[in-house]
Amino acid sequence: MAAQGLTTVQAQERLQQYGKNCLPKPRRNSFLRLFLLQFRSAFIYVLLVAVIVCLLLGQLINAFFISAVLLINALIGTIQEYSAQQAADSLAHMVPQQSRVVRDGHPILLSSEELVPGDWVMLNSGDRIGADIRLKQSNQFQVDESALTGESISVSNKQQAFAGTLVTHGRAEGEVMATGIKTQIGQIAKLVHQGEHTKPPLMQRIDQFTLRIAIAILIIIAFIFGLTLLRGAALSEVFLLGVALAVSAIPEGLPAAITVALAIGMKRMAKANVIVRKLVAVEALGSCTFIASDKTGTLTVNEMTIGQIWLANDQLYDVTGEGVSPTGRVYRHGHGSPVNLHDESDLKQLVTAGILANEAHLVFEGDKVHADGDGVDLAFLALGHKLKALTDKEGKPLTLFPYESEKGFSASVNATEAGPELSVKGAVEKLLPMCSLNKEMQQGILSQTHSMAKRGYRVLALAHGKGTPLDDHFSDLHFLGLVAMSDPLRPDAISAVAACRQAKIKVAMITGDHPATALTLSRQLKVADETDSAITGQELEQARQQDINAFDRLVANHRVFARVKPKQKMEITESLIRQGEFVAMTGDGVNDAPALKHAHVGIAMGLRGTDVARESASLVLTDDKFSSIVKGIIEGRVVYNNIRKVIYLLISTGAAEIFLFILSVLFALPIPLFPLQILWLNIVTNGVQDVALAFEPAEGRELSQAPRSPKEPIFDRLMLERVCSSALTMGLVAFTLFASSLHMGMDEVEARNLTLMLMVLFENVHALNSRSEHRSLLRTPLFSNPILLIGILVAQGIHIGAMYTPGLSDALQLSPISLNQWLVLLITASVLFLVDEAHKKYWHTKHHPKSAVSIAEHPRE
């Protein structure tokens, strides 16, 4: 760090002067445009034809009412989509782009929106640059300027760095020149907001589904239309029947209800610390069959402490384990003993090398701790502070070789009393070739490394040398020793992995750590057992050179991958996909971006993840916990299940109305319900209840289900059976009531009035049946979804109120019914409950033949 930066007061003054560092927002659909887009649907086109037919027949009331329903549905859909759009915007702000700046003499992380001209910014690989910066220092610095130039090749630039570009390699520091609209990209801001416009697979399948339904409706209408004409019915009556059929079969509220379900899912995931960046992930996460997880910070707490130090002279020290997090929290792991560096020159030299080959910042000011940087670097600084390892005369920096994952080490040239000295720390395999060691010494070091790694330690080697090298190809270094660092498993990680096993989801650990370390921790997590082994990046490379099948077999048969290069993470992802897995991949670095993009679901770390990793991912974990992935999987499955519930409710009620009409035509009876009454039925009952179903909570069995295939049709065998059984029941019972009422001498108006009330009650009961595809309604907590209960009461209340409302009752041809009639109709509608319970028990018995216990006794099966 070479500058003091601005003070907090100066920064606030400049923020007032220049405003927030924001680019023009991308153009969002206006409320009016969203409203007009609601009419772009196959369902709506059929209803518009119905309006035209009504106008041609002089049925002005029907035409007006159908138009009114179309407008109401469009308005509901608009409000829901607008709310979802606003929710997506608010969720996006939960993972803001951040910049590392120097304020009041200390580096801190703050939102890039708070950058002001004059700020001193520190850039690392993986950062998205938040403002135009005049570089003052740079080290192996490369930038991807494709957002500006369209060229994806990284370029070296030692003078300027521009907002919106990505740091792909190295480090740099500099002063902010311009922010917001004044930046280069601010002048061409539209390039920044090029986003995806592809519909998620779920929405594509629903669009195809609705199109097929519309075609089927037209075919059925044409058949009944012709049959009725052959019987000599008047043309106007036939057209009216066609309109009624079209209106009855079309689930007008389906798009709005699905939008609500997805929006609710996004909000629930956010509460589980999972931010959805791409809508496809809400559905896709529920299909996940394989999670490839990073170790550090995801399965572990990412709190590095130095537990043991082994010197080249074979001395072993247990060190008091204290560390400092990047937020400044001091923590302690283990029970080592304090070490005194007095007369321990070899130990001091090793600790000093770890402090010098370091990019972190740690300052203790009384009770305050200013910390910034990687956990490994901070652990060395914390140990150095405790042991007072570095004097003021040592360590003036001359050259820094920053850590990059593909290199596996970091180094620094510092001015000491004895002249320039090179300090290096990194992976043991990387440092051994740099040191002057014979085979026996190398074997001893590797043996000690393996011994430490088997106890779950992360092991680093340290070395030093003299002089100032021209590049990072070091040689003839003096090996100093090994440092064993502990990073405990997260308390919730073991139970989260167990939950994945229960959900038939495979878990693999992919890490750059030593194979023994990875295997030990994997066994503690139950990711691997005692018979499993760890596969190294070198073994993967050898298998890939042999042939792709050998590589795939190696990946398929192992769950622990160690010393893996960033490119190999992507290759593992591709291999798993070739083998038919639906892969969720975690990552945090710039080199993880390809793997995140290639996976079905890319999951980036929100706390320690780089900007490029977050932007490449579909999901962002705001707490970096593996258990949050599991929570996201649960919520993803809940969303998909709720969408199925909504579709089942709407399609089965529409099919019931169609069946009711078909029976009336076959038995030469009058139309059982007018188009106006059907529209009323659909908008008052389904229009309230379908949206309420989208609020259904988890049933508790989500993790006991195997992952569904992403190619699985929404309308599968289970839904087909349920739709048929419920539709036939409702249609047949309603037809029986209508026909018997006419047979007993009731006029058509009174018979339709009773039939309409029965259909309203049917749909109230059906909404309750729709709460679960497998679990008995008797075992479903009644008040777990109060919104649905309120919706049922509201739907029933609105219909009863319409019977007593002048004008509305006349238009709908409604009249009040007695309490006794209502109770008889309610009991009649309860038949649907018995039929649905019987089908659930039948399905359970058929698909669980070994179980003699009913689903009512095992509601979560």
Side-chain angles (χ1 to χ4, degrees):
M1 189 179 71
Q4 292 297 306
L6 300 176
T7 65
T8 302
V9 174
Q10 288 174 325
Q12 289 297 326
E13 291 174 349
R14 296 191 186 191
L15 189 62
Q16 292 291 330
Q17 179 182 354
Y18 296 101
K20 284 195 172 185
N21 179 32
C22 299
L23 293 175
K25 298 296 181 184
R27 183 176 178 270
R28 291 286 187 181
N29 285 329
S30 65
F31 194 87
L32 177 60
R33 179 173 171 77
L34 286 174
F35 179 77
L36 296 175
L37 289 175
Q38 303 304 311
F39 295 92
R40 195 174 60 183
S41 163
F43 289 163
I44 303 302
Y45 298 154
V46 175
L47 289 178
L48 288 173
V49 171
V51 171
I52 295 172
V53 170
C54 288
L55 290 173
L56 292 175
L57 295 175
Q59 298 282 338
L60 298 181
I61 294 179
N62 283 336
F64 170 79
F65 209 91
I66 295 173
S67 300
V69 169
L70 285 175
L71 291 173
I72 292 171
N73 266 326
L75 184 61
I76 292 173
T78 303
I79 292 172
Q80 295 299 340
E81 285 201 37
Y82 189 76
S83 299
Q85 184 173 283
Q86 297 296 106
D89 289 342
S90 64
L91 290 179
H93 290 127
M94 293 182 70
V95 189
Q97 181 185 331
Q98 293 186 315
S99 296
R100 182 173 280 102
V101 304
V102 180
R103 291 275 176 89
D104 301 315
H106 300 290
I108 62 169
L109 274 176
L110 52 72
S111 171
S112 294
E113 289 188 352
E114 305 298 320
L115 288 177
V116 294
D119 261 327
W120 188 267
V121 179
M122 306 167 70
L123 301 173
N124 294 334
S125 57
D127 290 348
R128 180 170 289 281
I129 299 172
D132 287 358
I133 299 169
R134 182 179 294 108
L135 300 179
K136 302 294 186 181
Q137 302 174 21
S138 62
N139 188 353
Q140 304 176 35
F141 188 63
Q142 293 184 355
V143 179
D144 175 4
E145 294 186 344
S146 57
L148 283 173
T149 65
E151 298 291 336
S152 58
I153 300 174
S154 297
V155 298
S156 299
N157 192 335
K158 295 186 178 181
Q159 295 180 332
Q160 295 183 51
F162 299 102
T165 59
L166 287 167
V167 182
T168 59
H169 195 86
R171 307 289 187 270
E173 298 183 18
E175 184 178 342
V176 173
M177 300 184 298
T179 58
I181 197 66
K182 300 292 185 181
T183 60
Q184 291 288 318
I185 208 165
Q187 305 301 311
I188 47 173
K190 61 182 180 181
L191 295 179
V192 179
H193 301 297
Q194 292 175 347
E196 289 189 8
H197 299 286
T198 304
K199 285 188 176 182
L202 174 65
M203 300 306 293
Q204 293 177 11
R205 294 208 301 272
I206 287 175
D207 285 346
Q208 295 169 0
F209 173 71
T210 56
L211 180 61
R212 289 170 187 158
I213 290 291
I215 293 172
I217 290 169
L218 293 176
I219 292 173
I220 293 172
I221 289 174
F223 170 75
I224 297 177
F225 192 94
L227 181 63
T228 310
L229 277 178
L230 288 175
R231 289 183 171 178
L235 186 61
S236 60
E237 181 182 340
V238 174
F239 270 116
L240 188 61
L241 175 62
V243 170
L245 284 168
V247 169
S248 65
I250 294 174
E252 302 92 344
L254 183 59
I258 291 174
T259 302
V260 172
L262 290 172
I264 293 169
M266 290 175 67
K267 290 181 179 179
R268 286 177 174 173
M269 283 187 174
K271 290 181 180 178
N273 299 312
V274 182
I275 305 302
V276 179
R277 294 192 67 254
K278 299 175 183 177
L279 194 60
V280 62
V282 177
E283 175 203 7
L285 200 57
S287 301
C288 177
T289 64
F290 201 109
I291 301 176
S293 176
D294 189 19
K295 176 181 73 69
T296 304
T298 307
L299 295 170
T300 64
V301 296
N302 195 24
E303 293 184 346
M304 295 289 184
T305 56
I306 296 175
Q308 289 186 334
I309 297 175
W310 180 81
L311 298 180
N313 59 14
D314 205 27
Q315 286 183 281
L316 183 66
Y317 295 88
D318 282 323
V319 182
T320 302
E322 288 191 355
V324 179
S325 72
T327 59
R329 188 177 75 84
V330 179
Y331 53 83
R332 178 173 178 171
H333 297 139
H335 304 283
S337 304
V339 175
N340 190 343
L341 292 185
H342 183 64
D343 295 330
E344 299 282 356
S345 59
D346 290 344
L347 177 60
K348 180 178 180 180
Q349 194 171 36
L350 180 143
V351 175
T352 300
I355 296 171
L356 295 178
N358 202 299
E359 297 181 76
H361 172 79
L362 181 63
V363 175
F364 292 86
E365 290 182 352
D367 295 335
K368 290 185 177 181
V369 180
H370 301 280
D372 177 73
D374 178 73
V376 171
D377 285 349
L378 285 170
F380 273 100
L381 294 184
L383 179 64
H385 173 78
K386 185 176 186 63
L387 303 182
K388 299 179 175 58
L390 196 63
T391 67
D392 295 336
K393 296 180 181 180
E394 297 171 311
K396 182 180 179 183
L398 297 176
T399 306
L400 175 68
F401 296 89
Y403 177 84
E404 299 289 352
S405 56
E406 66 269 21
K407 293 193 307 183
F409 67 89
S410 63
S412 176
V413 178
N414 296 81
T416 67
E417 293 180 347
E421 183 168 310
L422 175 65
S423 300
V424 187
K425 76 172 189 295
V428 178
E429 293 87 344
K430 296 291 185 180
L431 262 68
L432 288 186
M434 303 177 185
C435 300
S436 300
L437 298 166
N438 58 39
K439 289 186 177 180
E440 183 181 353
M441 295 170 67
Q442 288 188 13
Q443 190 58 43
I445 293 168
L446 290 174
S447 176
Q448 182 63 39
T449 301
H450 186 73
S451 175
M452 288 176 159
K454 280 182 66 177
R455 296 197 294 276
Y457 283 119
R458 180 177 183 179
V459 185
L460 295 179
L462 293 99
H464 78 138
K466 299 293 183 180
T468 306
L470 298 177
D471 54 30
D472 57 4
H473 294 84
F474 310 135
S475 60
D476 298 325
L477 299 181
H478 174 64
F479 182 81
L480 296 174
L482 303 174
V483 168
M485 311 185 78
S486 64
D487 183 14
L489 292 172
R490 288 188 181 275
D492 57 340
I494 296 176
S495 59
V497 171
C500 286
R501 288 201 307 275
Q502 180 189 357
K504 309 297 189 296
I505 298 172
K506 303 164 191 171
V507 179
M509 177 188 289
I510 302 180
T511 179
D513 266 359
H514 192 280
T517 305
L519 192 58
T520 298
L521 294 178
S522 294
R523 286 171 176 167
Q524 293 175 15
L525 288 165
K526 307 299 184 185
V527 168
D529 58 31
E530 295 302 321
T531 63
D532 289 327
S533 60
I535 291 299
T536 65
Q538 184 178 4
E539 291 171 302
L540 288 171
E541 183 62 31
Q542 291 171 352
R544 190 171 182 83
Q545 290 175 358
Q546 181 181 346
D547 64 69
I548 197 68
N549 293 327
F551 182 86
D552 287 348
R553 285 194 300 270
L554 200 60
V555 171
N557 294 328
H558 292 85
R559 292 292 176 267
V560 184
F561 303 89
R563 292 294 193 234
V564 171
K565 297 177 182 178
K567 181 183 177 182
Q568 291 176 323
K569 196 170 186 179
M570 182 184 72
E571 292 171 347
I572 292 171
T573 304
E574 293 173 334
S575 174
L576 291 169
I577 292 173
R578 281 195 300 271
Q579 297 172 55
E581 302 287 359
F582 200 84
V583 184
M585 177 70 68
T586 70
D588 61 355
V590 61
N591 293 302
D592 292 327
L596 295 175
K597 284 186 175 180
H598 279 75
H600 293 104
V601 184
I603 305 173
M605 303 299 107
L607 293 178
R608 62 187 175 89
T610 58
D611 293 328
V612 65
R614 290 197 292 263
E615 292 177 13
S616 300
S618 308
L619 303 172
V620 177
L621 302 183
T622 59
D623 59 1
D624 290 7
K625 293 181 180 179
F626 184 84
S627 58
S628 294
I629 301 176
V630 178
K631 293 176 184 176
I633 289 172
I634 294 173
E635 293 301 337
R637 293 184 176 186
V638 169
V639 168
Y640 185 75
N641 290 341
N642 285 352
I643 289 174
R644 282 179 59 89
K645 294 170 186 177
V646 171
I647 292 174
Y648 166 61
L649 172 68
L650 294 177
I651 297 301
S652 53
T653 53
E657 293 162 8
I658 283 282
F659 186 52
L660 170 61
F661 272 84
I662 289 175
L663 289 174
S664 298
V665 171
L666 291 177
F667 286 90
L669 293 180
I671 294 177
L673 296 172
F674 285 132
L676 216 59
Q677 293 173 320
I678 296 173
L679 278 171
W680 173 259
L681 176 65
N682 290 354
I683 194 67
V684 168
T685 50
N686 285 345
V688 175
Q689 294 175 164
D690 59 0
V691 173
L693 262 182
F695 286 87
E696 276 293 310
E699 294 183 29
R701 62 183 300 275
E702 283 74 20
L703 289 181
S704 65
Q705 299 171 324
R708 65 178 178 81
S709 168
K711 296 181 181 179
E712 173 189 298
I714 296 174
F715 217 77
D716 59 2
R717 178 65 180 269
L718 173 59
M719 184 177 288
L720 181 63
E721 287 187 14
R722 296 191 74 208
V723 165
C724 289
S725 63
S726 58
L728 290 175
T729 301
M730 287 188 282
L732 183 60
V733 173
F735 170 75
T736 302
L737 173 66
F738 182 67
S740 60
S741 298
L742 293 177
H743 182 72
M744 289 187 297
M746 284 188 189
D747 59 29
E748 294 180 13
V749 173
E750 189 174 358
R752 289 191 183 101
N753 186 50
L754 290 176
T755 303
L756 182 58
M757 173 55 83
L758 177 62
M759 290 301 293
V760 171
L761 288 168
F762 263 141
E763 295 193 10
N764 292 152
V765 173
H766 196 44
L768 293 173
N769 288 341
S770 301
R771 297 189 65 187
S772 176
E773 291 185 298
H774 302 275
R775 184 168 59 179
S776 167
L777 179 59
L778 298 176
R779 295 288 179 173
T780 302
L782 181 63
F783 297 102
S784 61
N785 185 1
I787 295 176
L788 179 61
L789 298 180
I790 293 171
I792 291 172
L793 294 175
V794 168
Q796 185 66 210
I798 290 176
H799 184 71
I800 293 174
M803 294 177 173
Y804 296 91
T805 305
L808 185 59
S809 60
D810 297 332
L812 294 172
Q813 297 187 19
L814 298 179
S815 59
I817 62 174
S818 67
L819 178 60
N820 287 338
Q821 287 177 311
W822 184 85
L823 289 173
V824 170
L825 293 176
L826 177 61
I827 294 172
T828 304
S830 300
V831 172
L832 184 61
F833 162 73
L834 299 177
V835 170
D836 192 66
E837 290 291 303
H839 181 267
K840 288 176 180 176
K841 185 173 183 179
Y842 157 77
W843 182 270
H844 177 75
T845 303
K846 179 181 178 181
H847 293 274
H848 301 276
K850 294 181 180 180
S851 173
V853 185
S854 73
I855 194 171
E857 295 176 0
H858 276 285
R860 297 186 186 277
E861 291 295 322

